[in-house]
Amino acid sequence: MSQSMFMRARRPEQKEQRRAAILAAARELALRSGVRNVSLGSVATAVGLAKSNVTRYFGTREEIYLELAAACWRDWADEVARRLTAGNDVVDVLAETLAERTLFCDLLGHTATSLEHNVSVEAARDFKRVVLGTIAELGAAVAQAHPDLTEREGFELVAAASGLAGMLYPAANPPPTLREVYAQNPDLAAACVPLVPTLKRALAALAAGLPSLR
C-alpha cells in the first residue's frame, strides 16, 4: 500500500482511486475466503484504512458487495452476449459462464439473504436497476438466439439461471465439514451436486417447457 493511500482523498480522482482500492480488497478477500467470511474490518485492514474511513465511501460491508455484484452482473452479461453472438447454445452459455464466475455465484447466493438487508435505499435501488436491466438485455439476446422463446421467456430463463446458480453453488462447493461427511458417508454424497450438469439440466427443462405455458 503506498503512503498516499493513507492520506485523506480530496480530489475526485483520489476518491475514485480509494473506492476502487476498497472494492479490489473486498473482491480479493471474498475470492480467498468466501463472501460470508469477510467483515468490514477485514476490508479496511486489507486496504490500509480505518473502518470509519471505509464508510465514507460505502455505508456498510453489504454496500461494498452489492457494488461488486452489480459489476459481476455486467461482466456476465457481456460474456453471455459475446458467446451467443458466436452461435453457441443458450443453455450451455448460461450455465458455463455462471460456473466460470465463482465470485458471482457466491454473491448471488448471498444477495437476497444478507446483502440487500443492510444497505441504503439508494444503494438497493441502483443495484436492482442494474439487475433488472441486465436480465432484460440478456432476455432479448436469448430470444434472438433461441427462436422458440419470446423475450419474456428469455427474461425468465436468465432470471432462473442466476437464481439457480446462487442456490446450487454452495451445495456444489461444500465447506470442509461437509466434505468430510461426504467422504465418510458415500450415501450422503448426492447432496454435493455437480454445478454445471445440474444447472444445464434444469435450464434445458425450463427452456423446453416455457413455450407450452403460453
Side-chain angles (χ1 to χ4, degrees):
M1 187 72 61
S2 66
Q3 184 64 30
S4 61
M5 286 301 297
F6 294 92
M7 299 169 60
R8 180 160 182 168
R10 299 183 183 280
R11 297 195 300 272
E13 61 270 25
Q14 291 175 323
K15 292 179 180 179
E16 189 54 39
Q17 287 176 345
R18 186 66 57 78
R19 282 178 59 86
I22 293 167
L23 290 168
R27 179 184 180 87
E28 181 60 31
L29 289 168
L31 284 169
R32 191 185 311 158
S33 59
V35 172
R36 68 175 296 165
N37 296 313
V38 182
S39 67
L40 185 62
S42 62
V43 174
T45 298
V47 82
L49 296 170
K51 284 199 294 185
S52 59
N53 286 336
V54 173
T55 58
R56 293 176 184 271
Y57 301 92
F58 300 94
T60 63
R61 162 196 174 274
E62 288 75 17
E63 288 188 12
I64 295 173
Y65 281 107
L66 273 193
E67 184 148 336
L68 282 174
C72 286
W73 273 98
R74 290 188 288 263
D75 169 73
W76 181 52
D78 289 344
E79 183 61 13
V80 169
R82 186 188 71 78
R83 294 194 196 183
L84 290 180
T85 301
N88 294 293
D89 177 78
V90 166
V91 166
D92 287 349
V93 168
L94 292 175
E96 291 169 7
T97 53
L98 282 165
E100 291 163 4
R101 288 160 170 75
T102 57
L103 176 60
F104 187 31
C105 289
D106 195 8
L107 288 165
L108 287 170
H110 289 284
T111 297
T113 57
S114 63
L115 299 184
E116 295 178 335
H117 288 252
N118 187 30
V119 296
S120 67
V121 170
E122 293 77 12
R125 178 200 61 211
D126 292 347
F127 176 69
K128 285 300 185 185
R129 283 183 173 162
V130 168
V131 172
L132 292 177
T134 300
I135 295 175
E137 173 189 328
L138 286 181
V142 163
Q144 194 167 29
H146 196 308
D148 292 338
L149 298 177
T150 65
E151 283 195 18
R152 178 60 197 176
E153 290 161 352
F155 182 102
E156 291 178 87
L157 188 65
V158 172
S162 61
L164 285 168
M167 179 183 70
L168 292 170
Y169 178 78
N173 296 273
T177 298
L178 283 181
R179 287 200 295 270
E180 186 174 344
V181 167
Y182 300 150
Q184 294 176 2
N185 303 270
D187 58 313
L188 300 178
C192 183
V193 297
L195 179 58
V196 173
T198 305
L199 194 51
K200 284 186 178 182
R201 183 174 174 83
L203 293 179
L206 182 58
L210 280 169
S212 70
L213 299 176
R214 292 175 193 160

